[in-house]
Amino acid sequence: MAKGKPGQGEQPIIVIRKKKGHAHGHHGGSWKVALADFMTAMMAFFLLLWLLETATPKELQAIAGYFQAPASRHVLGPGGADAAAIELKAPMEENPQMVTDQSSPLDSAGILGDTPDNMDEESRREEAALAEVERQQLEALEEQLRDEVNNTASALNVLKDQIRMELTELGLSIQIIDKERRNMFDEGSAILKPYSEDALYALAPIINKVPNSISIVGHTDAKPYSAGSRYTNWELSTDRANSARRALLEGLYPEQKVVAVQGMAAIAPLVPEKPLDPSNRRIAIIVLKKAVEEAMRKVDPTVGQHLLPSKPRVMSELEIEQAIERERANAPRSK
């Protein structure tokens, strides 16, 4: 404590505190915020790259379609839901050219490259193109058959009102149905009537113009055989289908193109409300699509292997010699 002069009172001590400044104080902590934003952006960027790498071509098309037409009614679903992300259908409806002849923008830019999914997509396109060619061939065959049916000089013209044709999921279905007082077979018989046989002869070379194979199915009405009979509509429908097969082969249809011959009795009537209607009795010849034919021909080679007798094991020379020695040792000795 400072002392004053003699005779004067003591002076108070005054302490002055100086505030020390900081260098670059005007920056504060804003650099930390900038760094955090930068790291978040980088994380989002790498997450985006990862998602693009794992996305399928279909999903990429959906994403591209969204950005090409974000306000499309096909893209935004009810309540603002993104139909493109949920169903993956809207962008392809909006941009159908992307499905047929244009790859996704990212893939065309070389970012994704050739992934297994892309190869699968190419295979699907090839299958679709082949299916379209096959469909056109079957349609042309149907048109040719209709012309033949309407040709008064053709044997098929006799059954003009009894032949039905349509393209189905299995292929081109050609059904020859019975009509009142004009049946393909006599009642309970599997022998073709002459005009039915002639119609099948005329049909054979026409359906042979396409490479597709056929299946033949016989159908009957619901009229049962007498009680206790061992011969039923199942046997009858199968025998009738086989008669149709033989007629087609006599008409020079290749036997190796017949995939199946079967009878379905009355379980698939053409007129369900009238189980005894004559039109329920019919022969269906189906010109099969290739995919259906392949599925029908596919057989698992391992099925029934356990039922086959096992092959005898071949004994080695040493085992044969040992067996002979044992036989000699066990043989009874003569007295």
Side-chain angles (χ1 to χ4, degrees):
M1 182 178 294
K3 295 182 180 180
K5 294 181 180 180
Q8 296 180 352
E10 295 181 356
Q11 297 294 325
I13 298 174
I14 299 174
V15 179
I16 300 175
R17 300 181 180 274
K18 293 185 178 181
K19 185 177 180 182
K20 295 182 179 181
H22 297 278
H24 309 291
H26 58 283
H27 287 292
S30 59
W31 67 273
K32 298 178 182 178
V33 178
L35 178 62
D37 291 342
F38 175 74
M39 295 300 292
T40 303
M42 290 297 294
M43 185 180 297
F45 176 70
F46 285 115
L47 180 61
L48 176 63
L49 291 180
W50 177 77
L51 289 173
L52 291 177
E53 181 65 25
T54 57
T56 64
K58 194 174 183 181
E59 292 169 338
L60 291 175
Q61 290 172 358
I63 296 171
Y66 173 81
F67 285 104
Q68 288 179 3
S72 169
R73 63 182 177 86
H74 296 296
V75 174
L76 296 180
D82 190 348
I86 297 172
E87 299 178 359
L88 301 178
K89 294 179 180 177
M92 286 180 276
E93 294 175 1
E94 190 73 15
N95 299 285
Q97 70 277 8
M98 294 184 65
V99 180
T100 56
D101 58 359
Q102 181 179 345
S103 59
S104 66
L106 292 175
D107 189 45
S108 61
I111 295 177
L112 295 181
D114 293 330
T115 63
D117 284 338
N118 290 337
M119 296 299 293
D120 292 342
E121 185 67 24
E122 289 182 9
S123 299
R124 285 193 291 269
R125 289 180 182 178
E126 290 179 1
E127 289 180 3
L130 292 174
E132 177 62 20
V133 172
E134 183 179 53
R135 184 187 64 81
Q136 293 175 3
Q137 289 178 341
L138 293 178
E139 286 180 348
L141 175 62
E142 180 182 7
E143 187 65 26
Q144 187 174 358
L145 282 171
R146 293 191 186 280
D147 291 341
E148 185 70 16
V149 168
N150 292 323
N151 182 5
T152 55
S154 172
L156 290 171
N157 185 259
V158 178
L159 301 176
K160 177 180 178 179
D161 298 332
Q162 297 172 239
I163 298 177
R164 297 186 181 184
M165 290 176 283
E166 62 174 334
L167 281 172
T168 68
E169 292 297 323
L170 300 179
L172 177 60
S173 173
I174 307 165
Q175 297 193 85
I176 305 176
I177 64 177
D178 276 5
K179 190 177 180 181
E180 196 68 44
R181 293 186 297 276
R182 185 175 285 276
N183 302 330
M184 292 187 69
F185 305 87
D186 286 326
E187 183 177 358
S189 171
I191 301 175
L192 283 162
K193 291 195 172 183
Y195 54 81
S196 303
E197 201 169 37
D198 292 341
L200 291 171
Y201 290 164
L203 182 64
I206 300 176
I207 60 177
N208 191 32
K209 290 182 179 181
V210 294
N212 306 65
S213 298
I214 64 171
S215 71
I216 307 171
V217 185
H219 299 268
T220 66
D221 57 25
K223 185 177 181 180
Y225 277 78
S226 59
S229 174
R230 297 181 64 85
Y231 193 85
T232 67
N233 284 330
W234 287 101
E235 287 78 17
L236 178 62
S237 59
T238 304
D239 289 344
R240 286 180 172 179
N242 233 338
S243 294
R245 178 190 65 84
R246 285 191 290 268
L248 288 173
L249 297 187
E250 290 174 11
L252 302 182
Y253 189 81
E255 187 173 7
Q256 64 271 18
K257 291 178 67 176
V258 180
V259 175
V261 177
Q262 59 182 333
M264 296 186 67
I267 66 170
L270 201 61
V271 187
E273 63 275 13
K274 297 180 180 180
L276 298 180
D277 193 271
S279 60
N280 291 328
R281 303 188 299 267
R282 64 199 190 277
I283 294 293
I285 301 168
I286 305 172
V287 183
L288 299 168
K289 294 180 179 179
K290 283 293 183 182
V292 177
E293 176 190 345
E294 290 174 2
M296 294 177 69
R297 290 183 183 272
K298 191 176 294 183
V299 177
D300 186 355
T302 63
V303 173
Q305 288 292 325
H306 64 287
L307 300 177
L308 298 177
S310 58
K311 295 181 180 180
R313 189 173 66 88
V314 178
M315 299 177 64
S316 65
E317 293 183 2
L318 178 60
E319 290 175 327
I320 293 174
E321 291 179 359
Q322 292 175 348
I324 294 174
E325 290 295 332
R326 285 195 298 269
E327 288 293 332
R328 288 176 178 174
N330 295 330
R333 296 180 181 179
S334 59
K335 295 181 180 180

